[in-house]
Amino acid sequence: MASVYACYCFDMDVMDNVAGILLAAGSSQRFGADKQSALVGGIPMLTRAASTLLNAGFDMPIVVLGPNAPGHSRLLHGLPVRVVRNQEAASGMASSLLAGLEAAGDCEAIVVTVCDQPAVTARHLRMLVTSWRKTHRSIVASEYGGIHGVPALFAAKHFAELRELHGDRGAGPLLARYAGALQTIPLPGGHIDIDTPADLTKLC
């Protein structure tokens, strides 16, 4: 299995006690096929996204999978990640966020990302954490296309609010609630997500 994961040497203290969570439990209804396995640059989207978390320096990032967990787990072979299966994936993205949060346990913050944003880089994920360390803002979100979105960091003070989310908007309502107080990091190309085969063709 091809992978873009490489072990980089950098200051790991920045990432201490911060959990990386990859939400990848979607059913790919709009895509019409197994989106997590679709290739971007010759690498399955799920493999690519998990590798990005690892390259950012997260220790054993959490990957939340859905109904096709056995098949998708094979795309993570050889990567030091923790796989969590969301039995409630059909209820929407918020349930996957909750599953990832529960798996994260006691930590200072979480960084939430998804697998269908090809512009996300390890550097960007590290910038979210570094900005939180420097500014002490409790939420640091990506900014693109005039919106605030994932990848985003949430400090522990927001975990209770995250647990109250439901439906398919994920952390969107929380980002909207704190829109005037959060820190943002520009993510060039962040508005590009792969929802349909046409999106993938256009990207390639």
Side-chain angles (χ1 to χ4, degrees), residues 21-27 34 36 46-47 50 62-77 81-90 95-97 99-100 115:
I21 301 175
L22 172 59
L23 306 182
S27 61
D34 185 9
Q36 289 89 334
L46 178 58
T47 310
I62 297 160
V63 181
V64 183
L65 300 179
N68 196 21
H72 289 159
S73 293
R74 290 194 287 272
L75 300 176
L76 302 169
H77 179 71
V81 300
R82 179 181 176 186
V83 173
V84 173
R85 182 168 182 176
N86 176 17
Q87 302 288 354
E88 307 296 328
S95 65
S96 291
L97 179 54
C115 70

Coordinates of all heavy atoms in Angstrom, one line a residue, residues 21-27 34 36 46-47 50 62-77 81-90 95-97 99-100 115:
I21 N -7.8 13.9 15.2 CA -9.0 13.1 14.9 C -9.4 13.3 13.4 O -9.6 14.4 13.0 CB -10.2 13.5 15.8 CG1 -9.8 13.3 17.3 CG2 -11.4 12.6 15.4 CD1 -10.9 13.8 18.2
L22 N -9.3 12.2 12.7 CA -9.7 12.1 11.3 C -11.1 11.5 11.2 O -11.3 10.4 11.5 CB -8.7 11.3 10.5 CG -9.1 11.1 9.0 CD1 -9.3 12.4 8.2 CD2 -8.0 10.2 8.4
L23 N -12.1 12.3 10.7 CA -13.5 11.8 10.5 C -13.6 11.2 9.1 O -13.5 12.0 8.1 CB -14.5 13.0 10.7 CG -14.4 13.7 12.0 CD1 -15.4 14.8 12.1 CD2 -14.4 12.8 13.2
A24 N -13.8 9.9 9.0 CA -13.8 9.2 7.7 C -14.9 8.1 7.7 O -14.7 7.1 7.1 CB -12.4 8.7 7.4
A25 N -16.0 8.4 8.4 CA -17.0 7.4 8.5 C -18.2 7.6 7.5 O -19.2 6.9 7.6 CB -17.6 7.4 9.9
G26 N -18.1 8.6 6.6 CA -19.1 8.9 5.7 C -19.5 7.7 4.7 O -18.6 6.9 4.4
S27 N -20.7 7.7 4.2 CA -21.2 6.7 3.4 C -20.9 6.9 1.9 O -21.2 6.1 1.0 CB -22.7 6.4 3.6 OG -23.4 7.6 3.2
D34 N -16.9 4.2 -3.3 CA -16.1 4.3 -2.1 C -15.1 5.4 -2.1 O -14.0 5.3 -2.6 CB -15.4 2.9 -1.8 CG -14.6 2.9 -0.5 OD1 -14.9 3.8 0.3 OD2 -13.9 2.0 -0.3
Q36 N -13.4 7.0 0.2 CA -12.2 6.9 1.0 C -11.1 6.2 0.2 O -9.9 6.5 0.5 CB -12.5 6.2 2.3 CG -13.3 7.0 3.3 CD -14.8 6.8 3.1 OE1 -15.3 6.5 2.0 NE2 -15.5 7.0 4.2
L46 N -8.1 8.3 2.1 CA -8.0 8.0 3.5 C -6.6 7.8 4.0 O -6.2 8.3 5.0 CB -8.8 6.7 3.8 CG -8.8 6.2 5.3 CD1 -9.3 7.2 6.2 CD2 -9.6 4.9 5.4
T47 N -5.8 7.1 3.2 CA -4.4 6.9 3.5 C -3.7 8.3 3.5 O -2.8 8.6 4.4 CB -3.7 6.0 2.4 OG1 -4.5 4.9 2.2 CG2 -2.3 5.7 2.8
A50 N -4.7 10.3 6.7 CA -4.1 9.8 7.9 C -2.6 10.1 7.9 O -2.0 10.4 9.0 CB -4.3 8.3 8.0
I62 N -6.4 9.4 15.8 CA -7.6 8.6 15.8 C -8.3 8.8 14.5 O -8.5 9.9 14.0 CB -8.5 9.1 16.9 CG1 -7.9 8.9 18.3 CG2 -9.9 8.4 16.9 CD1 -8.5 9.8 19.4
V63 N -8.6 7.6 13.9 CA -9.3 7.6 12.6 C -10.7 7.0 12.8 O -10.8 5.8 13.2 CB -8.5 6.8 11.5 CG1 -9.3 6.8 10.2 CG2 -7.1 7.4 11.3
V64 N -11.7 7.8 12.6 CA -13.1 7.3 12.9 C -13.7 6.7 11.6 O -13.8 7.5 10.6 CB -14.0 8.4 13.4 CG1 -15.4 7.8 13.7 CG2 -13.4 9.0 14.7
L65 N -14.0 5.4 11.5 CA -14.5 4.8 10.4 C -16.0 4.4 10.6 O -16.4 4.3 11.7 CB -13.7 3.5 10.0 CG -12.2 3.8 9.7 CD1 -11.5 2.5 9.4 CD2 -12.0 4.8 8.6
G66 N -16.7 4.1 9.5 CA -18.1 3.8 9.6 C -18.4 2.3 9.2 O -17.6 1.4 9.5
P67 N -19.4 2.1 8.4 CA -19.9 0.7 8.1 C -18.8 -0.1 7.4 O -18.8 -1.3 7.5 CB -21.1 1.0 7.3 CG -21.6 2.3 7.6 CD -20.4 3.1 7.9
N68 N -18.0 0.6 6.6 CA -17.0 -0.2 5.8 C -15.6 -0.2 6.5 O -14.6 -0.2 5.8 CB -16.8 0.4 4.4 CG -16.1 -0.5 3.4 OD1 -16.1 -1.7 3.6 ND2 -15.6 0.1 2.4
A69 N -15.7 -0.2 7.8 CA -14.4 -0.2 8.6 C -13.4 -1.3 8.2 O -12.2 -1.0 8.1 CB -14.8 -0.2 10.1
P70 N -13.9 -2.5 8.1 CA -12.9 -3.6 7.7 C -12.1 -3.3 6.4 O -10.9 -3.4 6.4 CB -13.8 -4.8 7.6 CG -15.0 -4.6 8.5 CD -15.2 -3.1 8.3
G71 N -12.9 -2.9 5.4 CA -12.2 -2.5 4.2 C -11.3 -1.3 4.3 O -10.2 -1.3 3.7
H72 N -11.8 -0.3 4.9 CA -11.0 0.9 5.0 C -9.8 0.8 5.9 O -8.8 1.5 5.8 CB -11.9 2.1 5.6 CG -12.9 2.5 4.5 ND1 -14.1 3.2 4.9 CD2 -13.0 2.4 3.2 CE1 -14.8 3.5 3.8 NE2 -14.1 3.0 2.8
S73 N -9.9 -0.1 6.9 CA -8.8 -0.3 7.8 C -7.6 -0.8 7.0 O -6.4 -0.5 7.3 CB -9.1 -1.4 8.9 OG -10.1 -0.9 9.8
R74 N -7.8 -1.5 5.9 CA -6.7 -2.0 5.1 C -6.0 -0.9 4.4 O -4.8 -1.0 4.1 CB -7.2 -3.0 4.0 CG -7.7 -4.3 4.6 CD -7.9 -5.4 3.5 NE -9.1 -5.1 2.7 CZ -10.3 -5.6 2.9 NH1 -10.5 -6.3 4.0 NH2 -11.3 -5.3 2.2
L75 N -6.6 0.3 4.2 CA -6.0 1.4 3.6 C -5.1 2.1 4.6 O -4.3 3.0 4.3 CB -7.0 2.5 3.2 CG -8.0 2.0 2.1 CD1 -9.0 3.0 1.8 CD2 -7.3 1.6 0.8
L76 N -5.1 1.7 5.9 CA -4.3 2.3 7.0 C -3.2 1.3 7.4 O -2.5 1.6 8.4 CB -5.2 2.6 8.1 CG -6.3 3.6 7.8 CD1 -7.3 3.7 9.0 CD2 -5.8 5.0 7.5
H77 N -3.1 0.2 6.7 CA -2.1 -0.8 7.1 C -0.7 -0.2 7.1 O -0.2 0.5 6.2 CB -2.1 -2.0 6.1 CG -1.1 -3.0 6.4 ND1 -1.2 -3.9 7.4 CD2 0.1 -3.4 5.8 CE1 -0.2 -4.7 7.5 NE2 0.6 -4.4 6.5
V81 N -1.9 4.4 13.6 CA -3.1 5.2 13.9 C -4.0 4.3 14.8 O -3.8 3.1 14.8 CB -3.8 5.6 12.7 CG1 -3.0 6.6 11.8 CG2 -4.3 4.4 11.9
R82 N -4.9 4.9 15.5 CA -5.9 4.2 16.3 C -7.2 4.3 15.5 O -7.8 5.4 15.3 CB -6.1 4.8 17.7 CG -7.1 4.1 18.5 CD -7.2 4.7 19.9 NE -8.3 4.1 20.7 CZ -8.7 4.6 21.9 NH1 -8.1 5.6 22.4 NH2 -9.6 4.0 22.5
V83 N -7.8 3.1 15.1 CA -9.0 3.1 14.4 C -10.2 2.9 15.4 O -10.2 2.1 16.3 CB -9.0 1.9 13.4 CG1 -10.4 1.8 12.8 CG2 -8.0 2.1 12.3
V84 N -11.2 3.8 15.2 CA -12.4 3.7 16.0 C -13.6 3.6 15.1 O -13.7 4.3 14.1 CB -12.6 5.0 16.9 CG1 -14.0 5.0 17.5 CG2 -11.5 5.2 17.9
R85 N -14.4 2.6 15.3 CA -15.6 2.4 14.5 C -16.8 3.1 15.1 O -17.2 2.9 16.2 CB -15.9 0.9 14.3 CG -17.1 0.7 13.4 CD -17.3 -0.7 13.0 NE -18.4 -0.9 12.0 CZ -18.7 -2.0 11.4 NH1 -17.9 -3.1 11.7 NH2 -19.7 -2.1 10.6
N86 N -17.5 3.9 14.3 CA -18.7 4.7 14.7 C -19.9 3.9 14.3 O -20.3 3.8 13.1 CB -18.7 6.1 14.1 CG -20.0 6.8 14.4 OD1 -20.7 6.4 15.3 ND2 -20.3 7.9 13.7
Q87 N -20.6 3.3 15.2 CA -21.7 2.4 14.9 C -22.9 3.3 14.5 O -23.9 2.8 14.0 CB -22.1 1.6 16.1 CG -21.0 0.6 16.6 CD -20.7 -0.5 15.6 OE1 -21.5 -0.7 14.7 NE2 -19.7 -1.3 15.9
E88 N -22.9 4.6 14.9 CA -24.0 5.5 14.6 C -23.7 6.4 13.4 O -24.3 7.5 13.3 CB -24.3 6.3 15.8 CG -24.5 5.5 17.1 CD -25.7 4.7 17.0 OE1 -26.7 5.1 16.3 OE2 -25.7 3.6 17.6
A89 N -22.8 6.0 12.5 CA -22.4 6.9 11.4 C -23.5 7.4 10.6 O -23.4 8.5 10.1 CB -21.3 6.2 10.6
A90 N -24.5 6.6 10.4 CA -25.7 7.0 9.6 C -26.4 8.3 10.1 O -27.1 9.0 9.4 CB -26.7 5.9 9.4
S95 N -21.9 12.4 15.2 CA -21.7 11.2 15.9 C -20.2 10.7 15.8 O -19.7 10.1 16.7 CB -22.6 10.1 15.4 OG -22.4 9.7 14.1
S96 N -19.6 10.9 14.6 CA -18.2 10.6 14.4 C -17.3 11.4 15.2 O -16.3 11.0 15.8 CB -17.9 10.7 12.9 OG -18.5 9.7 12.2
L97 N -17.7 12.7 15.3 CA -16.9 13.6 16.1 C -16.9 13.2 17.6 O -15.9 13.2 18.3 CB -17.4 15.0 16.0 CG -16.8 16.2 16.8 CD1 -15.3 16.2 16.6 CD2 -17.4 17.5 16.4
A99 N -17.5 10.1 18.7 CA -16.7 8.9 18.8 C -15.2 9.2 18.9 O -14.5 8.6 19.7 CB -17.0 7.9 17.6
G100 N -14.7 10.1 18.1 CA -13.3 10.5 18.2 C -13.0 11.2 19.4 O -11.9 10.9 20.0
C115 N -11.2 13.6 5.4 CA -10.3 13.0 4.4 C -10.5 13.6 3.0 O -9.7 13.2 2.1 CB -10.4 11.5 4.4 SG -11.9 10.8 3.8

